[in-house]
Amino acid sequence: MESSSSIASRRSKRQSQEKFLSKVILPAIRGQSCPVCLKDFGGEEDYRRVAVIRVCLHAYCLDCIRKWSDIKRKCPLCNSEFNSWFCRIILSTRNFSTEKLPVVRESRRVTPLDILSSRQRAGLNVANRRSRPLPCRRRFGQPMPGSVGSDVIAQRKLQWRASIYNQRLHAVPISSRNCLKQIISRNGCMKQRILHRIEPWIQRELQAILEDPDPSVIVHLASSLFIASLERRSDVQSDQLGVEDHFLEPLRRFLHGWTNTFWHELRCFAESSLTMETYDMVVEYKRSD
């Protein structure tokens, strides 16, 4: 038969857990949304699929933060290192679980250059020594797919894109700002075509800005925001920063001071109707004010 002390201890532990749930975990998720996919945490069923990082109490969809943790173990919002989170939150029973992530070996930050082989890096170094500083507009050539030259040119394009942000340049729009608004209106197939076109561009842009070889989580966020801006007709002129700042707040958590420049560059490419290769060759830039 269970002793009274054991029963009291179990009851005290239960009360402590319920108090922690109501005072700490619930305030972190109630009325909030996932910073990655922007989905609202609507109710008890949603709470079962929410994860709250223990170290900083920022909340995410469990699937989103699990995918993010496969890439890096730092909170996307505050950059705090984490190795566990609270999850499987059930209000009806006042229960929740703590999930610890498997230990990973610490390593230095991976950059796009790190994914190249030593032979490819050597080729890139030779190319860099023989070339002048990257201009604002450039022809990169057309090497055979899969060759070392192809990887070198891909890396040079990342350097070129990073230089646009470092020099605080802005693309000069090639076409009308209203073209995509007119063609996306309640057309699911058109949305998929736009996503298929802009996602590789966003992937490359984020690799250049963040030096992250796999920014897939943020690619999804940026592309979703872009489609939402078209559907809501909230795509505004770049000088109306007050409106854009509010709309781009979820993206700003990741890109910080580069956010408005990124959004301007994305809009200019998406509305040009050109391929990435053609756009790279013909786009012109000017200094931002």
Side-chain angles (χ1 to χ4, degrees):
M1 183 175 180
E2 189 175 8
S3 66
S4 58
S5 61
S6 297
I7 296 175
S9 176
R10 184 156 49 85
R11 182 182 297 116
S12 175
K13 183 178 180 180
R14 174 68 177 176
Q15 291 174 344
S16 176
Q17 178 170 317
E18 291 180 354
K19 183 177 180 180
F20 187 82
L21 175 65
S22 62
K23 298 293 186 180
V24 178
I25 296 180
L26 286 182
I29 61 178
R30 185 176 285 125
Q32 301 297 317
S33 59
C34 176
V36 174
C37 69
L38 305 183
K39 180 181 177 182
D40 292 333
F41 303 144
E44 182 169 353
E45 288 301 316
D46 288 332
Y47 292 168
R48 295 170 185 261
R49 295 185 290 273
V50 172
V52 179
I53 295 178
R54 293 180 65 187
V55 67
C56 61
L57 298 179
H58 285 135
Y60 301 86
C61 290
L62 183 58
D63 289 342
C64 290
I65 195 62
R66 195 185 300 281
K67 184 175 182 180
W68 179 273
S69 69
D70 289 338
I71 302 171
K72 58 183 67 175
R73 296 287 177 84
K74 291 187 176 181
C75 174
L77 289 182
C78 66
N79 215 33
S80 297
E81 294 187 3
F82 67 89
N83 58 15
S84 60
W85 51 59
F86 303 115
C87 59
R88 291 183 286 278
I89 302 162
I90 305 175
L91 293 185
S92 59
T93 59
R94 313 296 292 179
N95 282 327
F96 64 90
S97 302
T98 300
E99 180 176 333
K100 290 189 176 182
L101 302 178
V103 177
V104 293
R105 188 178 61 181
E106 290 294 328
S107 60
R108 68 182 182 89
R109 187 179 184 185
V110 178
T111 69
L113 186 58
D114 293 324
I115 63 179
L116 301 178
S117 68
S118 58
R119 179 184 176 190
Q120 291 168 339
R121 288 196 295 271
L124 177 60
N125 290 333
V126 171
N128 283 341
R129 288 198 299 270
R130 293 177 179 176
S131 64
R132 293 175 295 177
L134 290 172
C136 301
R137 181 175 57 174
R138 186 179 182 86
R139 292 180 181 273
F140 292 93
Q142 299 292 332
M144 292 296 293
S147 67
V148 172
S150 177
D151 291 322
V152 169
I153 287 178
Q155 179 63 28
R156 286 187 60 78
K157 286 187 176 183
L158 289 179
Q159 293 177 322
W160 170 61
R161 294 309 303 164
S163 74
I164 299 302
Y165 291 83
N166 292 332
Q167 297 177 55
R168 302 189 181 281
L169 302 177
H170 274 185
V172 178
I174 293 175
S175 61
S176 168
R177 292 264 180 207
N178 297 318
C179 57
L180 286 180
K181 289 182 184 179
Q182 299 170 2
I183 64 177
I184 198 174
S185 179
R186 297 184 181 180
N187 190 328
C189 293
M190 186 59 67
K191 293 177 190 177
Q192 292 304 314
R193 287 176 58 187
I194 293 174
L195 287 173
H196 181 73
R197 180 168 176 272
I198 67 173
E199 285 182 343
W201 188 94
I202 294 174
Q203 175 92 7
R204 186 185 71 176
E205 205 76 354
L206 294 177
Q207 287 175 338
I209 298 171
L210 304 176
E211 296 186 346
D212 188 337
D214 184 16
S216 54
V217 174
I218 313 178
V219 170
H220 172 74
L221 171 61
S223 58
S224 298
L225 280 176
F226 186 76
I227 294 297
S229 75
L230 298 176
E231 292 175 332
R232 301 172 187 174
R233 298 183 178 274
S234 59
D235 195 13
V236 299
Q237 294 298 320
S238 59
D239 57 348
Q240 299 177 5
L241 295 183
V243 179
E244 259 190 5
D245 277 355
H246 177 73
F247 181 75
L248 297 178
E249 192 59 35
L251 196 58
R252 194 175 306 281
R253 297 168 178 174
F254 302 99
L255 300 185
H256 307 291
W258 303 128
T259 305
N260 287 102
T261 302
F262 167 83
W263 193 250
H264 172 83
E265 297 299 309
L266 171 56
R267 289 165 56 195
C268 287
F269 167 71
E271 293 164 353
S272 70
S273 76
L274 302 176
T275 65
M276 283 178 62
E277 290 76 14
T278 303
Y279 184 83
D280 288 346
M281 289 190 291
V282 304
V283 63
E284 296 183 352
Y285 288 89
K286 64 180 181 179
R287 294 282 178 184
S288 60
D289 297 332

